Amino acid sequence: AEMISSRTKILILVVGILLKGTSESVVFAFAFTTKSRLTTGQGRGSPSKRIEKKHFSFLHTSPSHSPSSVLSKVSDTEDEQKETPTSESSITIPTPTPIYNEFDQILQSRRTINNFQPNLPDNWEEVLQNAIQSAIHAPNHKRTEPWRFHLLGPETIQKVCELNASIVAEKKGEKAGEKKLERWLQMPGWLVVTCRTTASVSESASATDSTSNSSMGDPMSIEREDYAACCCAVQNLCLSLHNQGFGTKWTTGPVNFDERFAEIVGLNIGESSDDGDSGDSDDSDDNDDDDCIKEFVVGTIWFGIPEKPATAPNKVHEVKDVLIFHT
């Protein structure tokens, strides 16, 4: 009775497993606690081994945790994760959710604001910094991050306004200049957005010459890529401010491209990109087109709380007029 064959033990284990799988709430336990000898050879002096105390137990308390149920859950998960090919005819456009509708409303309701309340709210700096954070997430092909944002203070604003008034007065007379000065001084917030790009000296002989196209005429130039990125950044900026109840006006004019404006704001209009480490001096004369940093104005952004809601202008073209289908 002390000896139990291997086949008998295996049979008992199989029976226990079967009982476990078919019972709803059965606890089956098999304990083999007797010391048995397992004869591994025949005849006198054959080696033998002892199997010490072993405990085999099978616990099943709930049908929901049966092996079959667990396996089915895993299978279901795997089936859900499998990508099933979808025919082109079965593709459907999802119904826009409220958050998408709200986002589109922000995009479509932004307007250029011409008249602002005289004072900025107390939290304007926080709102502006958040808007700039959104601005610098604009698309940027070469990852040059060329945008710069110059926040003008009262003294700088006064100088810019006086410079612009003098430019207007030279063309249209003193009264026109005075009127323009009064008008510009009413703008509560001033942010000058610039593009700080790298170009060869030969391409940027005059950074403030509005008649010089430099490398902007080349559609593949870095300067053109950077300008496009800065325009995207301005759009992000204006949309973020609009979402916070602020209005904006993106403006450019002769004053922005005047050398005196660059001096007032402190723009880098031809700074060498050489950081002082020229490397091997023997090769310094081989580079005829040294790179320089060129910073030019993308626009002056006036911002503040709108004096009144802006009226939406009528669009000349509808979607059907601008959306062109190609085969």
Side-chain angles (χ1 to χ4, degrees), residues 179-226:
K179 184 178 180 180
K180 186 65 68 173
L181 176 61
E182 181 182 1
R183 162 71 177 163
W184 277 36
L185 288 174
Q186 293 175 356
M187 302 302 157
W190 286 67
L191 187 72
V192 177
V193 181
T194 63
C195 180
R196 198 168 190 261
T197 187
T198 301
S200 65
V201 174
S202 60
E203 291 177 338
S204 55
S206 178
T208 58
D209 184 2
S210 59
T211 62
S212 175
N213 292 326
S214 63
S215 61
M216 287 291 285
D218 180 6
M220 299 300 294
S221 67
I222 294 293
E223 186 175 355
R224 189 160 171 174
E225 292 279 1
D226 287 346

Side-chain angles (χ1 to χ4, degrees), residues 150-178:
H150 298 261
L151 181 60
L152 307 190
E155 293 183 7
T156 306
I157 293 173
Q158 183 71 35
K159 292 179 181 179
V160 170
C161 292
E162 290 176 353
L163 174 61
N164 181 68
S166 65
I167 294 174
V168 173
E170 290 176 2
K171 293 183 177 181
K172 300 181 179 180
E174 290 295 331
K175 289 186 177 180
E178 293 175 359

Side-chain angles (χ1 to χ4, degrees), residues 22-285:
T22 57
S23 174
E24 293 296 322
S25 57
V26 175
V27 177
F28 174 83
F30 168 73
F32 177 67
T33 59
T34 60
K35 295 181 181 180
S36 61
R37 293 178 180 177
L38 177 61
T39 303
T40 60
Q42 298 293 335
R44 186 181 301 177
S46 299
S48 62
K49 295 181 180 179
R50 289 182 180 273
I51 299 179
E52 301 297 333
K53 294 181 181 180
K54 301 289 182 181
H55 295 274
F56 304 93
S57 63
F58 301 89
L59 180 63
H60 185 158
T61 58
S62 171
S64 63
H65 294 89
S66 64
S68 60
S69 65
V70 174
L71 182 60
S72 65
K73 290 179 181 178
V74 173
S75 299
D76 292 343
T77 303
E78 291 176 351
D79 290 341
E80 291 173 0
Q81 292 177 350
K82 290 180 180 178
E83 295 183 0
T84 56
T86 305
S87 62
E88 186 175 351
S89 59
S90 64
I91 297 177
T92 57
I93 299 176
T95 303
T97 61
I99 190 172
Y100 288 130
N101 291 332
E102 181 181 349
F103 180 71
D104 285 338
Q105 180 64 24
I106 293 171
L107 297 179
Q108 297 173 18
S109 61
R110 187 210 61 80
R111 297 289 178 268
T112 295
I113 302 300
N114 291 301
N115 298 302
F116 301 89
Q117 295 181 14
N119 299 317
L120 293 171
D122 295 336
N123 66 333
W124 72 270
E125 291 186 62
E126 179 182 354
V127 172
L128 180 62
Q129 289 186 15
N130 181 71
I132 294 176
Q133 182 66 35
S134 295
I136 64 177
H137 280 78
N140 181 204
H141 184 200
K142 300 297 184 179
R143 302 181 70 178
T144 54
E145 301 184 11
W147 35 68
R148 295 296 184 271
F149 305 87
H150 298 261
L151 181 60
L152 307 190
E155 293 183 7
T156 306
I157 293 173
Q158 183 71 35
K159 292 179 181 179
V160 170
C161 292
E162 290 176 353
L163 174 61
N164 181 68
S166 65
I167 294 174
V168 173
E170 290 176 2
K171 293 183 177 181
K172 300 181 179 180
E174 290 295 331
K175 289 186 177 180
E178 293 175 359
K179 184 178 180 180
K180 186 65 68 173
L181 176 61
E182 181 182 1
R183 162 71 177 163
W184 277 36
L185 288 174
Q186 293 175 356
M187 302 302 157
W190 286 67
L191 187 72
V192 177
V193 181
T194 63
C195 180
R196 198 168 190 261
T197 187
T198 301
S200 65
V201 174
S202 60
E203 291 177 338
S204 55
S206 178
T208 58
D209 184 2
S210 59
T211 62
S212 175
N213 292 326
S214 63
S215 61
M216 287 291 285
D218 180 6
M220 299 300 294
S221 67
I222 294 293
E223 186 175 355
R224 189 160 171 174
E225 292 279 1
D226 287 346
Y227 178 72
C230 288
C231 289
C232 293
V234 171
Q235 173 73 343
N236 281 8
L237 175 88
C238 294
L239 287 171
S240 178
L241 290 172
H242 169 57
N243 187 43
Q244 295 297 320
F246 282 64
T248 57
K249 181 170 183 176
W250 180 359
T251 179
T252 56
V255 66
N256 293 125
F257 310 107
D258 191 288
E259 291 183 355
R260 293 168 290 180
F261 179 88
E263 294 175 0
I264 293 171
V265 178
L267 305 184
N268 294 314
I269 59 175
E271 176 184 339
S272 174
S273 61
D274 185 6
D275 57 3
D277 184 8
S278 59
D280 190 351
S281 59
D282 293 338
D283 297 333
S284 60
D285 294 334

